[in-house]
Structure formats: structure tokens, C-alpha cells
Amino acid sequence: ERQEELPLVVYLHGASSGGDDGLRQTEGGLGDAIRRNPEWFPAVALFPQAPTGRGWEGEIADLVLRQIDATIAELDLDPDRVYLTGSSMGGEGVYYLAMRHPRRFAGLVVSCGSPFTPAWRLEELGRPPVDRSRAGFDAVAGALRGLPLRAFHGGEDDVVETEEARAMQRALRAAGVDAALKEYPRLGHEACGRAYLEEDLWPWLFSQQRPRD
């Protein structure tokens, strides 16, 4: 039996924590929550760091998957209890990785994130707009079928629009996904860290198991 094996929580940081110092991604978000309430986390936490100015896609996403595999193997963790979470750009990364590799994860937590890069950021990068129609959200939800998800968002977030978190929830529920969204009414994007201080989130997350085929 796998009773002794610890789960793995993988945290994808937001845009301001990129670099190569191996430290900034542990400040704020999940790292802060673990420092404040270590007893909530009977788990190993993995904090990958994306290079400055890069998102969680393409080769960076592939690197995260390799880090997950190496960590599970090295520490003999439970492969059926790997949880993916991220804030802001990291939340976008959660959707990106989970859509492409849904069988690798047991549960997802998204803080202040949308599956789509914000329109203002695409403009900054000189990239074309993306499909934010209902069909766009439905496609994401379809890919995540069977993966439980909890989302948190500031009710007045104008960095990653609150309405996108709501649209994602509607699509997930329509697809039959175990999904819930908690909004912090008077907060903007600074709500990103709040999710990780929700005490009842963690027993729920750690009880999720990857379905066996």
C-alpha cells in the first residue's frame, strides 16, 4: 500500500518572480503559507522557477514535468497525489499543463488566474488576441474533465479579469467538473496570496487521488 508516501504540491509562480536565483518563487503565495502554517502541509512542495519574462509553456512546461518526475523518484512520493497550483501567470500555467497532461495530476488550485494570457499582456508582447468566447472556455473545461479544481480571485481584479474566472467556472461546471470559485469582493490582484491561507483548502486537496484507469 502507498500509505506512507507523501503527496507533491507543485507551485507555479507569477510573472514578477521569474529569474534564476531559486528564491523569489518561494516568497509570497504557497511559500508564505507553508512558513506560517507548516502543520497544514503533510506534503513535499516543489517550486520551479521560470526565466525572467517567460511563461509556463513550451519547453518551460516540459522542464516542470521533468522536475516533477525527478522529485517523485528521488523522494519516493505518491504519484497518485500530485497537485498543481499557481497564482496569476502561474494560474495560467496550471491550465496549460493540466489541459495537456490531465492524467498526471490529482487536483488543481488556481489563484487569480485565467487559462488565457491577459489581453494587455498579449499586446505588450506583440502577440495576436486569443479566443475568449464561451467556446474557448468550454474547450479548456473539456480537457480538464475529471480533475477537481478550486479557484480564488479578487472581485475587483483588473490585471487578470474576474469575469474570466467566472466564465471558467461556468464552463467547468457545465462539463461536470468538481469546481468552485471563491471571490474576495473588495480585493484586486493582490488577492493572489489569499488562496493559500484558506485552511479548509488543504484537507480537501490532499484527499484527492488521481483516478486509476
Side-chain angles (χ1 to χ4, degrees):
E1 281 302 305
R2 316 187 86 85
Q3 253 68 19
E4 303 309 307
E5 294 175 324
L6 288 170
L8 177 65
V9 184
V10 184
Y11 176 74
L12 305 182
H13 62 74
S16 62
S17 300
D20 58 7
D21 64 343
L23 283 175
R24 291 177 71 180
Q25 76 275 29
T26 69
E27 295 164 358
L30 181 63
D32 269 6
I34 292 173
R35 287 185 194 95
R36 287 170 69 163
N37 305 288
E39 70 282 2
W40 292 3
F41 298 95
V44 169
L46 176 64
F47 293 86
Q49 189 175 30
T52 305
R54 297 288 300 275
W56 299 107
E57 54 196 21
E59 63 191 28
I60 307 298
D62 294 341
L63 186 59
V64 171
L65 293 172
R66 290 201 296 276
Q67 287 179 337
I68 290 171
D69 288 339
T71 305
I72 291 170
E74 185 181 341
L75 301 178
D76 198 22
L77 305 178
D78 187 345
D80 293 323
R81 290 197 300 151
V82 178
Y83 309 111
L84 186 61
T85 181
S87 54
S88 193
M89 180 186 88
E92 189 183 324
V94 169
Y95 288 117
Y96 180 94
L97 273 162
M99 281 177 70
R100 287 159 180 77
H101 306 278
R103 306 298 296 162
R104 298 194 55 143
F105 304 106
L108 310 174
V109 178
V110 174
S111 176
C112 301
S114 163
F116 306 118
T117 304
W120 60 266
R121 178 72 175 137
L122 289 174
E123 220 170 279
E124 268 184 5
L125 296 169
R127 281 160 55 177
V130 296
D131 176 15
R132 295 170 197 274
S133 68
R134 181 173 173 177
F137 288 98
D138 286 347
V140 176
L144 299 184
R145 208 171 267 123
L147 256 179
L149 182 147
R150 294 293 178 267
F152 301 83
H153 217 96
E156 298 180 14
D157 194 332
D158 57 2
V159 176
V160 178
E161 300 215 3
T162 311
E163 187 45 47
E164 297 209 351
R166 294 171 186 151
M168 192 66 248
Q169 281 299 304
R170 289 193 293 270
L172 288 166
R173 288 184 188 144
V177 175
D178 169 12
L181 169 65
K182 178 168 184 170
E183 282 186 36
Y184 303 107
R186 286 172 298 281
L187 292 183
H189 202 57
E190 75 275 13
C192 276
R194 283 287 294 274
Y196 301 102
L197 301 175
E198 295 283 349
E199 185 172 2
D200 57 354
L201 170 64
W202 302 107
W204 171 82
L205 187 65
F206 293 137
S207 71
Q208 305 303 318
Q209 295 248 8
R210 180 173 63 167
R212 302 270 178 111
D213 285 323

